[in-house]
Amino acid sequence: MQSQLVCNGCRTVLLYPRGAPNVRCAVCNTVTPVQPAGLEMDQIICGCCHTLLMYTRGATSVRCLCCHTVNLTTPANQVATVRCGSCQMTLMYPYGAPSVKCAVCQYITNVGSIPQSPTQTVVVENPMSFDGSGKLVSNVVVGVTTEKK
């Protein structure tokens, strides 16, 4: 089974076999230490700007640092529904998809942002980095957003 991490040198996503203590990047040759167990990373593509976002597995949402969109993370194989913008047929699509094409009329419906509740917990996970003493530290920010009136 493989895991992934972000290279500390060039920020490339690296795949490696589980159990490896370090990973050498084939692009820039930087050796990146593997995170301790329990901090497995996952990734999602921002539904707005299509930036690849990495987060700690188990987080429920990730805010994109480029466009500030809150992306909800979901377990694999989860689907959502939306009405076709032309013929009103109910369409199914995987969570995170920015749009869906209707098989009946070929119209492309933009899924848009997922409706947010009045308050929502936001977890932003950036790749780990080294502090001034060379210790590997996690870069996690947790906040609560509220609906604007």
Side-chain angles (χ1 to χ4, degrees), residues 20-54:
N22 298 298
V23 180
R24 181 180 298 274
C25 179
V27 176
C28 70
N29 289 321
T30 298
V31 175
T32 301
V34 174
Q35 302 169 10
L39 291 178
E40 289 88 13
M41 299 297 287
D42 212 342
Q43 61 188 22
I44 188 172
I45 295 176
C46 178
C48 184
C49 71
H50 307 293
T51 299
L52 179 66
L53 307 173
M54 301 219 33

PDB file of all heavy atoms in Angstrom, residues 20-54:
ATOM      1  N   ALA A  20       8.226   3.599   5.132  1.00  0.00           N
ATOM      2  CA  ALA A  20       9.489   4.264   4.806  1.00  0.00           C
ATOM      3  C   ALA A  20       9.702   5.443   5.758  1.00  0.00           C
ATOM      4  O   ALA A  20       8.788   6.211   6.011  1.00  0.00           O
ATOM      5  CB  ALA A  20       9.476   4.769   3.367  1.00  0.00           C
ATOM      6  N   PRO A  21      10.926   5.613   6.309  1.00  0.00           N
ATOM      7  CA  PRO A  21      11.174   6.726   7.229  1.00  0.00           C
ATOM      8  C   PRO A  21      11.414   8.054   6.516  1.00  0.00           C
ATOM      9  O   PRO A  21      11.145   9.116   7.063  1.00  0.00           O
ATOM     10  CB  PRO A  21      12.418   6.287   7.990  1.00  0.00           C
ATOM     11  CG  PRO A  21      13.117   5.345   7.060  1.00  0.00           C
ATOM     12  CD  PRO A  21      12.046   4.684   6.244  1.00  0.00           C
ATOM     13  N   ASN A  22      11.944   8.003   5.285  1.00  0.00           N
ATOM     14  CA  ASN A  22      12.254   9.196   4.500  1.00  0.00           C
ATOM     15  C   ASN A  22      11.944   8.908   3.037  1.00  0.00           C
ATOM     16  O   ASN A  22      11.947   7.758   2.618  1.00  0.00           O
ATOM     17  CB  ASN A  22      13.736   9.564   4.603  1.00  0.00           C
ATOM     18  CG  ASN A  22      14.144   9.884   6.012  1.00  0.00           C
ATOM     19  OD1 ASN A  22      13.640  10.827   6.605  1.00  0.00           O
ATOM     20  ND2 ASN A  22      15.042   9.077   6.569  1.00  0.00           N
ATOM     21  N   VAL A  23      11.738   9.999   2.262  1.00  0.00           N
ATOM     22  CA  VAL A  23      11.494   9.859   0.830  1.00  0.00           C
ATOM     23  C   VAL A  23      12.371  10.874   0.107  1.00  0.00           C
ATOM     24  O   VAL A  23      12.382  12.048   0.462  1.00  0.00           O
ATOM     25  CB  VAL A  23      10.005  10.126   0.491  1.00  0.00           C
ATOM     26  CG1 VAL A  23       9.774   9.987  -0.998  1.00  0.00           C
ATOM     27  CG2 VAL A  23       9.102   9.176   1.263  1.00  0.00           C
ATOM     28  N   ARG A  24      13.112  10.401  -0.915  1.00  0.00           N
ATOM     29  CA  ARG A  24      13.938  11.306  -1.726  1.00  0.00           C
ATOM     30  C   ARG A  24      13.160  11.683  -2.980  1.00  0.00           C
ATOM     31  O   ARG A  24      12.679  10.828  -3.696  1.00  0.00           O
ATOM     32  CB  ARG A  24      15.255  10.662  -2.126  1.00  0.00           C
ATOM     33  CG  ARG A  24      16.144  11.618  -2.961  1.00  0.00           C
ATOM     34  CD  ARG A  24      17.472  10.995  -3.368  1.00  0.00           C
ATOM     35  NE  ARG A  24      18.281  10.649  -2.235  1.00  0.00           N
ATOM     36  CZ  ARG A  24      19.112  11.475  -1.604  1.00  0.00           C
ATOM     37  NH1 ARG A  24      19.235  12.717  -2.016  1.00  0.00           N
ATOM     38  NH2 ARG A  24      19.814  11.064  -0.588  1.00  0.00           N
ATOM     39  N   CYS A  25      13.046  12.976  -3.238  1.00  0.00           N
ATOM     40  CA  CYS A  25      12.317  13.481  -4.396  1.00  0.00           C
ATOM     41  C   CYS A  25      13.127  13.241  -5.671  1.00  0.00           C
ATOM     42  O   CYS A  25      14.316  13.575  -5.724  1.00  0.00           O
ATOM     43  CB  CYS A  25      12.035  14.972  -4.229  1.00  0.00           C
ATOM     44  SG  CYS A  25      11.168  15.719  -5.628  1.00  0.00           S
ATOM     45  N   ALA A  26      12.498  12.681  -6.684  1.00  0.00           N
ATOM     46  CA  ALA A  26      13.166  12.431  -7.961  1.00  0.00           C
ATOM     47  C   ALA A  26      13.360  13.718  -8.752  1.00  0.00           C
ATOM     48  O   ALA A  26      14.189  13.767  -9.657  1.00  0.00           O
ATOM     49  CB  ALA A  26      12.353  11.431  -8.786  1.00  0.00           C
ATOM     50  N   VAL A  27      12.619  14.775  -8.410  1.00  0.00           N
ATOM     51  CA  VAL A  27      12.723  16.038  -9.137  1.00  0.00           C
ATOM     52  C   VAL A  27      13.869  16.897  -8.615  1.00  0.00           C
ATOM     53  O   VAL A  27      14.714  17.359  -9.371  1.00  0.00           O
ATOM     54  CB  VAL A  27      11.383  16.819  -9.049  1.00  0.00           C
ATOM     55  CG1 VAL A  27      11.503  18.180  -9.708  1.00  0.00           C
ATOM     56  CG2 VAL A  27      10.253  16.011  -9.675  1.00  0.00           C
ATOM     57  N   CYS A  28      13.929  17.102  -7.269  1.00  0.00           N
ATOM     58  CA  CYS A  28      14.936  18.012  -6.708  1.00  0.00           C
ATOM     59  C   CYS A  28      15.924  17.331  -5.758  1.00  0.00           C
ATOM     60  O   CYS A  28      16.803  17.989  -5.210  1.00  0.00           O
ATOM     61  CB  CYS A  28      14.243  19.166  -5.985  1.00  0.00           C
ATOM     62  SG  CYS A  28      13.419  18.673  -4.453  1.00  0.00           S
ATOM     63  N   ASN A  29      15.788  16.017  -5.541  1.00  0.00           N
ATOM     64  CA  ASN A  29      16.665  15.219  -4.679  1.00  0.00           C
ATOM     65  C   ASN A  29      16.609  15.579  -3.194  1.00  0.00           C
ATOM     66  O   ASN A  29      17.458  15.168  -2.423  1.00  0.00           O
ATOM     67  CB  ASN A  29      18.115  15.259  -5.164  1.00  0.00           C
ATOM     68  CG  ASN A  29      18.284  14.472  -6.435  1.00  0.00           C
ATOM     69  OD1 ASN A  29      17.691  13.400  -6.588  1.00  0.00           O
ATOM     70  ND2 ASN A  29      19.089  14.983  -7.354  1.00  0.00           N
ATOM     71  N   THR A  30      15.605  16.340  -2.767  1.00  0.00           N
ATOM     72  CA  THR A  30      15.451  16.658  -1.349  1.00  0.00           C
ATOM     73  C   THR A  30      14.930  15.435  -0.605  1.00  0.00           C
ATOM     74  O   THR A  30      14.035  14.749  -1.088  1.00  0.00           O
ATOM     75  CB  THR A  30      14.462  17.828  -1.161  1.00  0.00           C
ATOM     76  OG1 THR A  30      14.986  18.974  -1.810  1.00  0.00           O
ATOM     77  CG2 THR A  30      14.222  18.132   0.310  1.00  0.00           C
ATOM     78  N   VAL A  31      15.493  15.160   0.568  1.00  0.00           N
ATOM     79  CA  VAL A  31      15.011  14.070   1.402  1.00  0.00           C
ATOM     80  C   VAL A  31      13.989  14.646   2.376  1.00  0.00           C
ATOM     81  O   VAL A  31      14.286  15.559   3.142  1.00  0.00           O
ATOM     82  CB  VAL A  31      16.165  13.396   2.181  1.00  0.00           C
ATOM     83  CG1 VAL A  31      15.623  12.345   3.129  1.00  0.00           C
ATOM     84  CG2 VAL A  31      17.162  12.776   1.210  1.00  0.00           C
ATOM     85  N   THR A  32      12.769  14.131   2.313  1.00  0.00           N
ATOM     86  CA  THR A  32      11.679  14.592   3.169  1.00  0.00           C
ATOM     87  C   THR A  32      11.341  13.500   4.167  1.00  0.00           C
ATOM     88  O   THR A  32      11.072  12.366   3.767  1.00  0.00           O
ATOM     89  CB  THR A  32      10.429  14.923   2.316  1.00  0.00           C
ATOM     90  OG1 THR A  32      10.773  15.929   1.366  1.00  0.00           O
ATOM     91  CG2 THR A  32       9.287  15.411   3.188  1.00  0.00           C
ATOM     92  N   PRO A  33      11.366  13.811   5.484  1.00  0.00           N
ATOM     93  CA  PRO A  33      10.997  12.794   6.478  1.00  0.00           C
ATOM     94  C   PRO A  33       9.504  12.483   6.391  1.00  0.00           C
ATOM     95  O   PRO A  33       8.689  13.365   6.144  1.00  0.00           O
ATOM     96  CB  PRO A  33      11.351  13.429   7.812  1.00  0.00           C
ATOM     97  CG  PRO A  33      11.600  14.863   7.551  1.00  0.00           C
ATOM     98  CD  PRO A  33      11.788  15.063   6.086  1.00  0.00           C
ATOM     99  N   VAL A  34       9.158  11.226   6.620  1.00  0.00           N
ATOM    100  CA  VAL A  34       7.769  10.792   6.610  1.00  0.00           C
ATOM    101  C   VAL A  34       7.126  11.187   7.936  1.00  0.00           C
ATOM    102  O   VAL A  34       7.746  11.098   8.987  1.00  0.00           O
ATOM    103  CB  VAL A  34       7.694   9.266   6.388  1.00  0.00           C
ATOM    104  CG1 VAL A  34       6.268   8.764   6.511  1.00  0.00           C
ATOM    105  CG2 VAL A  34       8.266   8.916   5.019  1.00  0.00           C
ATOM    106  N   GLN A  35       5.868  11.622   7.879  1.00  0.00           N
ATOM    107  CA  GLN A  35       5.136  12.044   9.070  1.00  0.00           C
ATOM    108  C   GLN A  35       4.886  10.856   9.988  1.00  0.00           C
ATOM    109  O   GLN A  35       4.780   9.733   9.531  1.00  0.00           O
ATOM    110  CB  GLN A  35       3.793  12.637   8.666  1.00  0.00           C
ATOM    111  CG  GLN A  35       3.909  13.797   7.729  1.00  0.00           C
ATOM    112  CD  GLN A  35       2.547  14.165   7.158  1.00  0.00           C
ATOM    113  OE1 GLN A  35       1.528  13.683   7.601  1.00  0.00           O
ATOM    114  NE2 GLN A  35       2.558  15.014   6.167  1.00  0.00           N
ATOM    115  N   PRO A  36       4.743  11.127  11.283  1.00  0.00           N
ATOM    116  CA  PRO A  36       4.430  10.046  12.216  1.00  0.00           C
ATOM    117  C   PRO A  36       3.081   9.410  11.876  1.00  0.00           C
ATOM    118  O   PRO A  36       2.228  10.040  11.267  1.00  0.00           O
ATOM    119  CB  PRO A  36       4.343  10.749  13.576  1.00  0.00           C
ATOM    120  CG  PRO A  36       4.936  12.089  13.382  1.00  0.00           C
ATOM    121  CD  PRO A  36       4.889  12.411  11.926  1.00  0.00           C
ATOM    122  N   ALA A  37       2.892   8.170  12.296  1.00  0.00           N
ATOM    123  CA  ALA A  37       1.633   7.467  12.059  1.00  0.00           C
ATOM    124  C   ALA A  37       0.478   8.250  12.670  1.00  0.00           C
ATOM    125  O   ALA A  37       0.625   8.900  13.696  1.00  0.00           O
ATOM    126  CB  ALA A  37       1.690   6.073  12.657  1.00  0.00           C
ATOM    127  N   GLY A  38      -0.659   8.184  12.042  1.00  0.00           N
ATOM    128  CA  GLY A  38      -1.829   8.903  12.525  1.00  0.00           C
ATOM    129  C   GLY A  38      -2.030  10.229  11.824  1.00  0.00           C
ATOM    130  O   GLY A  38      -3.064  10.852  11.962  1.00  0.00           O
ATOM    131  N   LEU A  39      -1.056  10.694  11.059  1.00  0.00           N
ATOM    132  CA  LEU A  39      -1.183  11.943  10.319  1.00  0.00           C
ATOM    133  C   LEU A  39      -1.169  11.672   8.813  1.00  0.00           C
ATOM    134  O   LEU A  39      -0.559  12.409   8.058  1.00  0.00           O
ATOM    135  CB  LEU A  39      -0.055  12.915  10.684  1.00  0.00           C
ATOM    136  CG  LEU A  39      -0.095  13.479  12.095  1.00  0.00           C
ATOM    137  CD1 LEU A  39       1.095  14.392  12.336  1.00  0.00           C
ATOM    138  CD2 LEU A  39      -1.388  14.235  12.334  1.00  0.00           C
ATOM    139  N   GLU A  40      -1.847  10.598   8.384  1.00  0.00           N
ATOM    140  CA  GLU A  40      -1.884  10.279   6.966  1.00  0.00           C
ATOM    141  C   GLU A  40      -2.547  11.421   6.209  1.00  0.00           C
ATOM    142  O   GLU A  40      -3.501  12.023   6.684  1.00  0.00           O
ATOM    143  CB  GLU A  40      -2.639   8.975   6.705  1.00  0.00           C
ATOM    144  CG  GLU A  40      -1.902   7.741   7.164  1.00  0.00           C
ATOM    145  CD  GLU A  40      -2.193   7.405   8.617  1.00  0.00           C
ATOM    146  OE1 GLU A  40      -3.130   7.976   9.192  1.00  0.00           O
ATOM    147  OE2 GLU A  40      -1.462   6.574   9.170  1.00  0.00           O
ATOM    148  N   MET A  41      -2.047  11.694   5.023  1.00  0.00           N
ATOM    149  CA  MET A  41      -2.553  12.795   4.219  1.00  0.00           C
ATOM    150  C   MET A  41      -3.480  12.262   3.141  1.00  0.00           C
ATOM    151  O   MET A  41      -3.375  11.131   2.701  1.00  0.00           O
ATOM    152  CB  MET A  41      -1.390  13.544   3.560  1.00  0.00           C
ATOM    153  CG  MET A  41      -0.409  14.154   4.535  1.00  0.00           C
ATOM    154  SD  MET A  41      -1.134  15.411   5.569  1.00  0.00           S
ATOM    155  CE  MET A  41      -1.314  16.728   4.402  1.00  0.00           C
ATOM    156  N   ASP A  42      -4.394  13.109   2.719  1.00  0.00           N
ATOM    157  CA  ASP A  42      -5.268  12.835   1.601  1.00  0.00           C
ATOM    158  C   ASP A  42      -5.272  14.091   0.754  1.00  0.00           C
ATOM    159  O   ASP A  42      -4.683  15.100   1.137  1.00  0.00           O
ATOM    160  CB  ASP A  42      -6.673  12.501   2.107  1.00  0.00           C
ATOM    161  CG  ASP A  42      -7.376  11.499   1.197  1.00  0.00           C
ATOM    162  OD1 ASP A  42      -6.940  11.334   0.033  1.00  0.00           O
ATOM    163  OD2 ASP A  42      -8.353  10.896   1.636  1.00  0.00           O
ATOM    164  N   GLN A  43      -5.917  14.034  -0.391  1.00  0.00           N
ATOM    165  CA  GLN A  43      -5.939  15.210  -1.252  1.00  0.00           C
ATOM    166  C   GLN A  43      -7.303  15.366  -1.891  1.00  0.00           C
ATOM    167  O   GLN A  43      -8.065  14.407  -2.001  1.00  0.00           O
ATOM    168  CB  GLN A  43      -4.856  15.132  -2.319  1.00  0.00           C
ATOM    169  CG  GLN A  43      -4.975  13.952  -3.256  1.00  0.00           C
ATOM    170  CD  GLN A  43      -3.767  13.822  -4.155  1.00  0.00           C
ATOM    171  OE1 GLN A  43      -2.699  14.312  -3.869  1.00  0.00           O
ATOM    172  NE2 GLN A  43      -3.948  13.140  -5.276  1.00  0.00           N
ATOM    173  N   ILE A  44      -7.589  16.594  -2.282  1.00  0.00           N
ATOM    174  CA  ILE A  44      -8.840  16.931  -2.954  1.00  0.00           C
ATOM    175  C   ILE A  44      -8.507  18.067  -3.910  1.00  0.00           C
ATOM    176  O   ILE A  44      -7.581  18.840  -3.678  1.00  0.00           O
ATOM    177  CB  ILE A  44      -9.919  17.353  -1.925  1.00  0.00           C
ATOM    178  CG1 ILE A  44     -11.278  17.503  -2.596  1.00  0.00           C
ATOM    179  CG2 ILE A  44      -9.524  18.614  -1.205  1.00  0.00           C
ATOM    180  CD1 ILE A  44     -12.414  17.729  -1.607  1.00  0.00           C
ATOM    181  N   ILE A  45      -9.250  18.152  -4.989  1.00  0.00           N
ATOM    182  CA  ILE A  45      -9.079  19.254  -5.931  1.00  0.00           C
ATOM    183  C   ILE A  45     -10.131  20.298  -5.604  1.00  0.00           C
ATOM    184  O   ILE A  45     -11.312  19.977  -5.460  1.00  0.00           O
ATOM    185  CB  ILE A  45      -9.206  18.772  -7.385  1.00  0.00           C
ATOM    186  CG1 ILE A  45      -8.054  17.821  -7.688  1.00  0.00           C
ATOM    187  CG2 ILE A  45      -9.224  19.953  -8.348  1.00  0.00           C
ATOM    188  CD1 ILE A  45      -8.095  17.194  -9.045  1.00  0.00           C
ATOM    189  N   CYS A  46      -9.709  21.543  -5.459  1.00  0.00           N
ATOM    190  CA  CYS A  46     -10.628  22.630  -5.134  1.00  0.00           C
ATOM    191  C   CYS A  46     -11.718  22.699  -6.201  1.00  0.00           C
ATOM    192  O   CYS A  46     -11.420  22.716  -7.403  1.00  0.00           O
ATOM    193  CB  CYS A  46      -9.881  23.959  -5.060  1.00  0.00           C
ATOM    194  SG  CYS A  46     -10.988  25.364  -4.728  1.00  0.00           S
ATOM    195  N   GLY A  47     -12.964  22.739  -5.762  1.00  0.00           N
ATOM    196  CA  GLY A  47     -14.095  22.785  -6.688  1.00  0.00           C
ATOM    197  C   GLY A  47     -14.219  24.095  -7.429  1.00  0.00           C
ATOM    198  O   GLY A  47     -14.942  24.178  -8.412  1.00  0.00           O
ATOM    199  N   CYS A  48     -13.501  25.123  -6.993  1.00  0.00           N
ATOM    200  CA  CYS A  48     -13.591  26.428  -7.636  1.00  0.00           C
ATOM    201  C   CYS A  48     -12.413  26.691  -8.582  1.00  0.00           C
ATOM    202  O   CYS A  48     -12.608  26.914  -9.759  1.00  0.00           O
ATOM    203  CB  CYS A  48     -13.676  27.510  -6.570  1.00  0.00           C
ATOM    204  SG  CYS A  48     -13.909  29.168  -7.227  1.00  0.00           S
ATOM    205  N   CYS A  49     -11.181  26.623  -8.050  1.00  0.00           N
ATOM    206  CA  CYS A  49     -10.008  26.996  -8.864  1.00  0.00           C
ATOM    207  C   CYS A  49      -9.174  25.798  -9.312  1.00  0.00           C
ATOM    208  O   CYS A  49      -8.177  25.960  -9.988  1.00  0.00           O
ATOM    209  CB  CYS A  49      -9.135  27.989  -8.113  1.00  0.00           C
ATOM    210  SG  CYS A  49      -8.253  27.269  -6.703  1.00  0.00           S
ATOM    211  N   HIS A  50      -9.560  24.583  -8.919  1.00  0.00           N
ATOM    212  CA  HIS A  50      -8.919  23.328  -9.331  1.00  0.00           C
ATOM    213  C   HIS A  50      -7.495  23.163  -8.814  1.00  0.00           C
ATOM    214  O   HIS A  50      -6.705  22.430  -9.388  1.00  0.00           O
ATOM    215  CB  HIS A  50      -8.953  23.157 -10.853  1.00  0.00           C
ATOM    216  CG  HIS A  50     -10.326  23.298 -11.418  1.00  0.00           C
ATOM    217  ND1 HIS A  50     -11.326  22.397 -11.158  1.00  0.00           N
ATOM    218  CD2 HIS A  50     -10.890  24.264 -12.187  1.00  0.00           C
ATOM    219  CE1 HIS A  50     -12.431  22.790 -11.757  1.00  0.00           C
ATOM    220  NE2 HIS A  50     -12.198  23.924 -12.384  1.00  0.00           N
ATOM    221  N   THR A  51      -7.149  23.834  -7.717  1.00  0.00           N
ATOM    222  CA  THR A  51      -5.849  23.660  -7.087  1.00  0.00           C
ATOM    223  C   THR A  51      -5.855  22.363  -6.282  1.00  0.00           C
ATOM    224  O   THR A  51      -6.843  22.044  -5.634  1.00  0.00           O
ATOM    225  CB  THR A  51      -5.539  24.843  -6.141  1.00  0.00           C
ATOM    226  OG1 THR A  51      -5.513  26.039  -6.906  1.00  0.00           O
ATOM    227  CG2 THR A  51      -4.214  24.666  -5.414  1.00  0.00           C
ATOM    228  N   LEU A  52      -4.762  21.603  -6.329  1.00  0.00           N
ATOM    229  CA  LEU A  52      -4.657  20.383  -5.542  1.00  0.00           C
ATOM    230  C   LEU A  52      -4.409  20.763  -4.086  1.00  0.00           C
ATOM    231  O   LEU A  52      -3.458  21.471  -3.775  1.00  0.00           O
ATOM    232  CB  LEU A  52      -3.506  19.510  -6.054  1.00  0.00           C
ATOM    233  CG  LEU A  52      -3.267  18.206  -5.303  1.00  0.00           C
ATOM    234  CD1 LEU A  52      -4.449  17.257  -5.480  1.00  0.00           C
ATOM    235  CD2 LEU A  52      -1.989  17.555  -5.781  1.00  0.00           C
ATOM    236  N   LEU A  53      -5.288  20.306  -3.197  1.00  0.00           N
ATOM    237  CA  LEU A  53      -5.177  20.600  -1.773  1.00  0.00           C
ATOM    238  C   LEU A  53      -4.865  19.317  -1.022  1.00  0.00           C
ATOM    239  O   LEU A  53      -5.446  18.285  -1.295  1.00  0.00           O
ATOM    240  CB  LEU A  53      -6.496  21.172  -1.241  1.00  0.00           C
ATOM    241  CG  LEU A  53      -7.061  22.376  -1.987  1.00  0.00           C
ATOM    242  CD1 LEU A  53      -8.445  22.712  -1.456  1.00  0.00           C
ATOM    243  CD2 LEU A  53      -6.125  23.561  -1.863  1.00  0.00           C
ATOM    244  N   MET A  54      -3.937  19.379  -0.073  1.00  0.00           N
ATOM    245  CA  MET A  54      -3.611  18.230   0.768  1.00  0.00           C
ATOM    246  C   MET A  54      -4.084  18.528   2.173  1.00  0.00           C
ATOM    247  O   MET A  54      -4.022  19.666   2.626  1.00  0.00           O
ATOM    248  CB  MET A  54      -2.109  17.959   0.742  1.00  0.00           C
ATOM    249  CG  MET A  54      -1.623  17.678  -0.653  1.00  0.00           C
ATOM    250  SD  MET A  54      -0.405  16.421  -0.902  1.00  0.00           S
ATOM    251  CE  MET A  54      -0.640  15.186   0.268  1.00  0.00           C
TER     252      MET A  54
END
